[in-house]
Amino acid sequence: MASLEAKFPQNPPLKTQKLVLGAQIGLRILTIAFTLAATWVVLTSRQSTMAFGIPVDARYSYSPTFKFFAFANAIVCVLSILSLLLVFFLCHQGSNPAKFYYLFLHDLSMTLLVLAGSAAATAEGYIGRYGNTHSGWMPVCDYVGKFCNKMTTSVILSYLAFACLVMLTILSASKSRLIQV
């Protein structure tokens, strides 16, 4: 047991602590940027066109799935801003692993929320782009291509935020694993 404790010191060097703090701050800023951009693209995407002489209007607000996607990204963006402030606060108080446990839980819940929104939007986007011949749903992206491309861009931005949140969750988990019981 003594050899195990020697391999993993309780207080990592200051350079390692600063590197982890820099990674936390950078990944949180990227998460904020990606979720803000994804939300903005969804909220501003709309297209009106004519299909077979019938006016077709595509907006995110016509779909509960896209509403959930937009609001999930907005919530994650706001809570990521708050967590960035929390990281700055924790950095001034010192690195207590018990405090990072709550940050781990926060990061995990934000990861799950953005993943749920992204997966739902991906499923609906797939049906919109390719249709479902078994159910008789025709693809609509041939008629509202600009809207579909914007939604695809938004989903990609959201998955990039998901990747950042996964890395943040791993960082927070590794930081909080040093809790002494």
Side-chain angles (χ1 to χ4, degrees):
M1 186 72 172
S3 64
L4 182 64
E5 290 175 0
K7 289 182 182 178
F8 299 105
Q10 292 299 324
N11 294 323
L14 187 60
K15 185 176 180 180
T16 303
Q17 289 179 359
K18 286 185 178 184
L19 185 65
V20 169
L21 179 65
Q24 287 256 353
I25 291 170
L27 287 170
R28 288 184 196 286
I29 290 172
L30 283 173
T31 300
I32 292 166
F34 288 141
T35 54
L36 183 64
T39 304
W40 182 260
V41 170
V42 169
L43 295 179
T44 60
S45 63
R46 63 180 57 99
Q47 184 178 359
S48 297
T49 187
M50 296 289 280
F52 304 114
I54 302 170
V56 176
D57 191 30
R59 295 175 185 229
Y60 88 95
S61 59
Y62 294 163
S63 165
T65 303
F66 288 147
K67 282 184 191 177
F68 172 67
F69 175 68
F71 291 128
N73 275 301
I75 289 168
V76 169
C77 182
V78 169
L79 291 177
S80 293
I81 291 170
L82 293 175
S83 72
L84 181 63
L85 297 174
L86 181 65
V87 166
F88 283 130
F89 178 72
L90 288 177
C91 124
H92 288 296
Q93 283 195 340
S95 63
N96 182 358
K99 294 176 184 175
F100 281 95
Y101 177 72
Y102 298 111
L103 202 55
F104 162 70
L105 292 177
H106 173 271
D107 292 339
L108 184 62
S109 61
M110 293 302 98
T111 302
L112 296 175
L113 181 60
V114 82
L115 179 62
S118 299
T122 300
E124 187 155 329
Y126 183 86
I127 292 172
R129 185 162 304 271
Y130 301 109
N132 187 339
T133 56
H134 300 293
S135 300
W137 296 334
M138 302 303 295
V140 295
C141 285
D142 297 338
Y143 305 106
V144 287
K146 179 181 163 189
F147 175 78
C148 287
N149 290 337
K150 280 188 159 189
M151 291 305 294
T152 301
T153 301
S154 181
V155 169
I156 290 169
L157 288 168
S158 190
Y159 276 119
L160 289 172
F162 168 71
C164 291
L165 284 166
V166 166
M167 288 185 267
L168 278 169
T169 302
I170 292 169
L171 276 175
S172 297
S174 68
K175 192 81 168 159
S176 67
R177 72 178 169 82
L178 302 172
I179 296 175
Q180 299 292 322
V181 181

